Amino acid sequence: MITRDEAWQLLCEYNKEPFHLRHGEVVEGVMRYFARQLGYGEEEEFWGIVGLLHDLDFERYPQEHCVKEQQIMGERGLDERLIHAVASHGYGLCCDIAPEHQMEKVLFAVDELTGLLGAAARMRPSKSVSDLELSSAKKKFKDKKFAAGCSRDVIQKGADMLGWSLDDLISQTILAMREDPQN
């Protein structure tokens, strides 16, 4: 199993933009939160590493996203479970690997959502999710022009995969993001 430090080094090898590195950290923290909340605390490190590495190839290979990262990780002999989990967040978008485990469904659901919530937080006077409420987040979600690159369809599909309401997914993801003081 790859360590968190090794995963960070790998991410930094393929990503230089602070935005992409920070997104990996945000998704890592959210995944760790959900591991604990959903009763997978013993797998928190794995869930976090999946979140950290999920966009490993995006900055350098955007046209081969979720395909190239499988090759990169496979060449390094990384765990097949890690490779499947990371790639599955691109299901229906850039790969045909369906999210199967609850962890993979969470990743699918929160990847785009963390981007939308982060953008919403930056619009607030506090520049933070610390005071972001569900009602404000839902207004931003409904405004298709706001953070237009964050797919509302993917977020909704992720909530549906999990069997959660959109409100529950958004509320829990806000709480997860609040655990990181940089959010």
Side-chain angles (χ1 to χ4, degrees):
M1 178 62 181
I2 189 170
T3 67
R4 199 281 179 192
D5 286 344
E6 292 166 339
W8 177 252
Q9 289 172 1
L10 179 59
L11 183 67
C12 290
E13 182 178 333
Y14 286 89
N15 293 269
K16 303 301 180 204
E17 291 292 323
F19 174 83
H20 291 130
L21 296 171
R22 181 67 188 135
H23 176 66
E25 290 176 312
V26 169
V27 176
E28 174 191 14
V30 169
M31 292 299 292
R32 287 177 175 278
Y33 170 89
F34 278 110
R36 293 188 306 273
Q37 292 299 309
L38 299 173
Y40 295 95
E42 72 284 350
E43 292 192 4
E44 180 181 338
E45 184 78 1
F46 180 72
W47 283 47
I49 289 170
V50 167
L52 186 63
L53 291 178
H54 80 283
D55 278 347
L56 173 65
D57 61 358
F58 188 76
E59 184 177 313
R60 197 179 288 183
Y61 306 102
Q63 301 306 318
E64 299 174 81
H65 183 41
C66 294
V67 174
K68 193 70 173 175
E69 64 191 10
Q70 292 176 67
Q71 178 186 342
I72 293 165
M73 288 190 262
E75 288 171 354
R76 292 171 188 252
L78 298 184
D79 186 320
E80 189 59 42
R81 186 172 160 233
L82 173 65
I83 296 169
H84 184 279
V86 165
S88 72
H89 87 278
Y91 179 64
L93 304 168
C94 52
C95 77
D96 60 359
I97 298 174
E100 296 167 0
H101 186 278
Q102 190 171 25
M103 178 258 307
E104 296 169 343
K105 295 173 184 176
V106 169
L107 177 62
F108 183 89
V110 304
D111 178 29
E112 297 284 317
L113 181 55
T114 57
L116 184 122
L117 295 175
R122 286 188 295 279
M123 300 296 294
R124 303 183 68 71
S126 68
K127 307 279 189 232
S128 170
V129 294
S130 64
D131 59 353
L132 180 64
E133 297 299 329
L134 174 62
S135 59
S136 297
K138 289 280 296 259
K139 282 181 190 171
K140 297 297 188 190
F141 181 88
K142 290 176 183 174
D143 179 357
K144 304 292 188 216
K145 292 179 183 172
F146 179 79
C150 297
S151 171
R152 276 67 167 171
D153 292 340
V154 168
I155 295 166
Q156 183 62 62
K157 187 175 181 180
D160 294 344
M161 276 184 200
L162 288 162
W164 299 352
S165 72
L166 184 60
D167 285 5
D168 286 343
L169 175 62
I170 293 171
S171 295
Q172 286 299 306
T173 304
I174 290 170
L175 292 176
M177 290 177 73
R178 283 181 182 165
E179 290 195 353
D180 182 341
Q182 292 184 56
N183 287 326

